[in-house]
Amino acid sequence: MKNNLFKKLSSGLLITALIATAFVGCGNSSADAGEEVKDASVEAGAAAADSNAGFRTLDEIKESGTINIGVFSDKSPFGYVDENGEYAGYDVYFAERIGEDLGVEINYVSTEAANRIEYLQTGKVDIILANFTVTEERAQEVDFALPYMNVALGVVSPSDAVIESLDDIGEDDQVIVISGTTAETYLTKNYPDIKLQKYDAYAEAKTAFENGNGVAWANDNTEVIAFAIENEGYTVGIPELGDQDTIAPAVTKGNETLLNWLNEELDTLGDENFFHADYEATLLDTYGADYEDTLVVEQ
C-alpha cells in the first residue's frame, strides 16, 4: 500500500514538473516554475505524512509482534520504574496480561498526563494505560474501553493545616495540580478563583508539594491517599471531590478492532477476578484490604 502511494505521489510530482516546464516555455520565468515544483513537493510530503498518521489495527499489531503501551513511569503504585529499572504497578500488571494474550512483546512508552491523548492521536502508542479517567470531553478525542477501576478526586494537605473544604483555601493560596488531569479541569471549571500551581509530571508535583509550594495538592483520590499513607505529616482532608469516575484503557479514535478486542479481554478477565488479583499484587501494601472492593472494577 505504501509503495502504491509512493508511486502515485512520484507520478504526481513528475506531472507537476512537466507542467511547470511547459509554463516556462510559454513565457513564465524559471523562478515561477521552480516555486510551483517546490509547492507540489511540499503538498506531496504533507500527503505522505498524513497517510502514515493514525493507528495500527489489531492484525497489524499482531503481525509486527510488538504493542506500544503508554504508562506512567513515576506514579507509584500504578505505573513506575522499580529499583531494577523495570516497569511495575497496577496498570503495568494489566499491560503484561494484554501482551501475553495477544502473543506480542510490549514496548512501554513513558507517558505524562498532558500527552496521553497526543500520543494516541500521533500513533506513538497503541493503548494508553496511565490511570486515564473517562470523561465526556476525552471521549470525543479517544475511544475508551470498559473500565477496570473506580476513582474520584481528592485533596491532601499538611496535617498541621488540613484543608477539609475548598472554602478553606484563601484567595492568595495555591493548590498544586498536574496539567492534563481531571483535577485541573474540575477546579478550573468549578472554582476558577482558586489559584493553581501546575506541573507536567507527578514527580515534579510531589517534590513541589513536599517543599511547601502550595497549601494542598488535588489529584485522583487514589494518588493522594497513597501519598498520605507513605509520607508522614500529611492528611487527606477531602477524600472525595466531584463525581465518582472510572479508569479505562484508551485507544485512538476509530480503532475498532483493537477496542473490540480490549472489551472482550476485559470481559474474560472479569470472569477470573483478574483485577482483584492485580490489586492484591500491586496495591494491597499501599491501600490495605479495606479499599479493594471500592476501587476494583470487574466486568
Side-chain angles (χ1 to χ4, degrees):
M1 184 174 179
K2 289 182 180 177
N3 288 336
N4 290 336
L5 178 60
F6 178 77
K7 290 177 181 178
K8 290 179 181 178
L9 291 174
S10 299
S11 299
L13 287 174
L14 179 58
I15 291 169
T16 303
L18 290 173
I19 292 172
T21 303
F23 282 161
V24 173
C26 293
N28 280 7
S29 69
S30 59
D32 290 340
E35 284 301 315
E36 289 189 33
V37 174
K38 179 180 178 182
D39 290 343
S41 297
V42 171
E43 290 174 6
D50 288 341
S51 72
N52 291 329
F55 55 78
R56 299 192 302 162
T57 65
L58 180 66
D59 286 343
E60 288 172 334
I61 290 169
K62 287 181 177 179
E63 288 171 8
S64 75
T66 302
I67 187 166
N68 302 313
I69 300 182
V71 296
F72 288 125
S73 59
D74 62 355
K75 191 179 180 184
S76 175
F78 298 97
Y80 63 98
V81 177
D82 64 18
E83 63 275 8
N84 298 316
E86 301 291 334
Y87 280 92
Y90 187 76
D91 291 338
V92 175
Y93 189 101
F94 177 27
E96 289 291 322
R97 180 60 182 267
I98 288 174
E100 177 184 332
D101 289 349
L102 273 177
V104 298
E105 297 294 323
I106 300 172
N107 174 41
Y108 287 111
V109 179
S110 179
T111 306
E112 293 179 355
N115 60 26
R116 290 175 293 194
I117 291 175
E118 174 195 342
Y119 278 15
L120 284 172
Q121 292 178 335
T122 58
K124 188 168 185 177
V125 300
D126 301 303
I127 301 173
I128 284 288
L129 291 181
N131 244 202
F132 210 8
T133 304
V134 179
T135 68
E136 291 182 6
E137 294 80 8
R138 288 171 176 170
Q140 294 175 9
E141 300 188 82
V142 302
D143 283 336
F144 285 103
L146 296 169
Y148 61 96
M149 192 172 193
N150 290 315
V151 69
L153 296 179
V155 179
V156 61
S157 48
S159 298
D160 58 1
V162 179
I163 300 295
E164 296 182 340
S165 166
L166 294 181
D167 295 333
D168 296 338
I169 299 171
E171 60 180 16
D172 294 326
D173 294 334
Q174 293 190 338
V175 174
I176 290 174
V177 296
I178 297 162
S179 299
T181 61
T182 48
E184 179 195 14
T185 303
Y186 178 83
L187 292 175
T188 299
K189 180 179 179 180
N190 297 289
Y191 296 87
D193 293 334
I194 292 179
K195 294 180 173 63
L196 302 181
Q197 193 173 137
K198 303 177 184 181
Y199 295 90
D200 289 332
Y202 283 88
E204 293 173 350
K206 289 178 181 179
T207 299
F209 186 48
E210 290 169 344
N211 289 337
N213 297 336
V215 297
W217 178 22
N219 202 356
D220 290 351
N221 61 353
T222 51
E223 177 69 15
V224 297
I225 289 169
F227 178 86
I229 290 172
E230 295 170 356
N231 297 272
E232 188 177 351
Y234 295 94
T235 299
V236 179
I238 307 177
E240 286 194 14
L241 182 65
D243 297 329
Q244 179 88 9
D245 293 311
T246 56
I247 300 292
V251 301
T252 308
K253 198 75 176 172
N255 194 349
E256 293 184 5
T257 57
L258 183 56
L259 181 67
N260 292 339
W261 184 89
L262 273 173
N263 284 333
E264 292 174 4
E265 176 79 345
L266 284 155
D267 277 335
T268 299
L269 296 180
D271 291 338
E272 62 183 69
N273 283 329
F274 172 85
F275 290 102
H276 278 80
D278 188 351
Y279 181 100
E280 290 165 13
T282 62
L283 303 185
L284 187 63
D285 289 346
T286 299
Y287 298 107
D290 292 343
Y291 283 100
E292 183 169 350
D293 289 332
T294 301
L295 295 178
V296 170
V297 174
E298 301 279 11
Q299 295 303 322

